[in-house]
Amino acid sequence: MPNSWISVIFMLCLFWHSSYGNVGKLVCYYDGASFVREGPAQLSLRELEIALGFCNILVYGYAGIDAETFKLKSLNPQLTYNQDHYRHIIALKQKFPHVRFLLSVGGDRDLNSEGVVETETYLRLLEEPERRNSFKLSAIEELRKFGFDGLDLAWQFPKNKPKVERGAIKKAWHAFKGWFKNSSIDEKAEEHKEQFATLLRELAVQMQTNGILSLTMLPHVDASLFIDVASVMNYVDFVNLGTYDFQTPERNPKVADIPAPLYAMYDREPSFNLDYQVQYWINQTANAQKLHIGVATYARAWLMSRDSGITGYPPIPATEGAAPMGKQTGVPGLLSWPEVCELLQVPFNKDKAPLRKVGDPTKRFGIYAYHAAEDEGEKGIWVGYEDPTSAAIKAGYVHAKGLGGVALFDISLDDFRGQCADEKYPILRSIKYKL
Ligand SMILES: *[C@@H]1O[C@H](CO)[C@@H](O)[C@H](O)[C@H]1NC(C)=O
Ligand SMILES: *[C@@H]1O[C@H](CO)[C@@H](O)[C@H](O)[C@H]1NC(C)=O
């Protein structure tokens, strides 16, 4: 009977659809600049290939925007064009046909002449149809020319200012809440919110025939100010949430704390955790399947003073900003997973013990490691980090909430050489197996 055939096919489709829907996506951020780093932090194309065996989507970061013409531009023309890096990356599609390659714009890498993250251009672009059009045409041209499968907007909106969260100061500052928000945020946020949705609509019209369009929320960009969630969700294929870096030595030099808790912690800013951010987006949209949680591969590290105490229990008072730069990555206050792994195994200062690791049996907050300051005046270090186990717990959250997947920031700071435990990309793998 034709009818029963139809229902069999229908059931098969349903089955296929639901089993497909249950597989979480893994979005891998790839920092193009890691190709030209010095020493062991340099990630070669061969090493990148290993990661591509695990990723569904590779997001190449980052392109920028020209402040005068509003056209998409390379942030490193030497690498991009002279060294043909885009072409070499896209050539990997032949070997990894299941992976989609997106080009990402912004990502806090597009800096102004003073070396500060550029936000002006990103807002001004929104304001005029001609500017949006110039961006749209140039972006689509670049994607087409090199063969990218789509565009990711890691839009550089202005960020919320850091909040001080302790004791008496906390109370005083809460009294001035309204004043606080103003000093940091865009006066024309309402208009920019509407215009950003318009930009996405205009891009989506083009992308339908030209590939994937995604949005990446950078940490501390307030979605309630800049994102009309209901509209935006119609235009993008997915959203990667900036659910990491809630606490960093740059923003909070005097207090060290778990950088990216899964759930709300006692007596902290209620929005500074992954669960809150996800809830916010779920509350505003019917489509949780389009949401990806951001997970960092790297740690944030603070210097401890003698006044920071010896317990290591966060929040840690009286820290003195970013810990010195790691040997491989060379960025103060930021340690790649292999750098953390080494500190957990090898004595921190000659003759002294490695960092003391403190796990999280509740699986709700996060893990850290530290070495308190010495009486003789030597500074200590406090490191909030993600390891393969804690990252897998976050991947488990994706299933529990029916979300779309995980966006990993980024693969170049995972242990791509297998220095730590003889396994390459342990964090990436761990998330993949959990998804
Ligand atoms: C602060 O924001 C409020 C509400 O958005 C507004 O009414 C007020 O004028 C702002 N104050 C300043 C100084 O910008
Ligand atoms: C989401 O909605 C629930 C129910 O209305 C509310 O209790 C909760 O505070 C909301 N959370 C966020 C983060 O908006």
Side-chain angles (χ1 to χ4, degrees), residues 166 248-249 251-256 302-303 308 316-321:
R166 285 179 60 79
T248 69
R251 291 174 64 89
N252 312 86
K254 296 197 172 108
V255 185
W302 285 257
L303 268 183
S308 303
I316 306 289
T319 49
E320 296 181 358

Side-chain angles (χ1 to χ4, degrees), residues 335 338-348 353-355 381 383:
L335 298 170
E339 286 173 332
V340 174
C341 184
E342 187 183 341
L343 290 175
L344 294 172
Q345 291 172 356
V346 179
F348 169 45
L355 297 194
I381 182 172
V383 182

Side-chain angles (χ1 to χ4, degrees), residues 165-183:
E165 276 303 320
R166 285 179 60 79
I169 302 176
K170 173 177 166 184
K171 290 196 186 75
W173 284 36
H174 272 193
F176 284 102
K177 226 186 222 157
W179 173 81
F180 224 91
K181 252 198 151 175
N182 277 6
S183 67

Side-chain angles (χ1 to χ4, degrees), residues 273-286:
N273 57 84
L274 187 151
D275 184 58
Y276 180 97
Q277 300 293 327
V278 169
Q279 283 307 325
Y280 174 82
W281 281 77
I282 288 183
N283 279 2
Q284 315 262 324
T285 173

Side-chain angles (χ1 to χ4, degrees), residues 111-131:
L111 311 179
N112 65 19
S113 51
E114 277 104 58
V116 177
V117 172
E118 171 70 74
T119 55
E120 273 298 305
T121 303
Y122 285 71
L123 295 179
R124 287 179 52 237
L125 183 152
L126 302 176
E127 292 165 0
E128 303 287 342
E130 307 82 62
R131 296 174 188 166

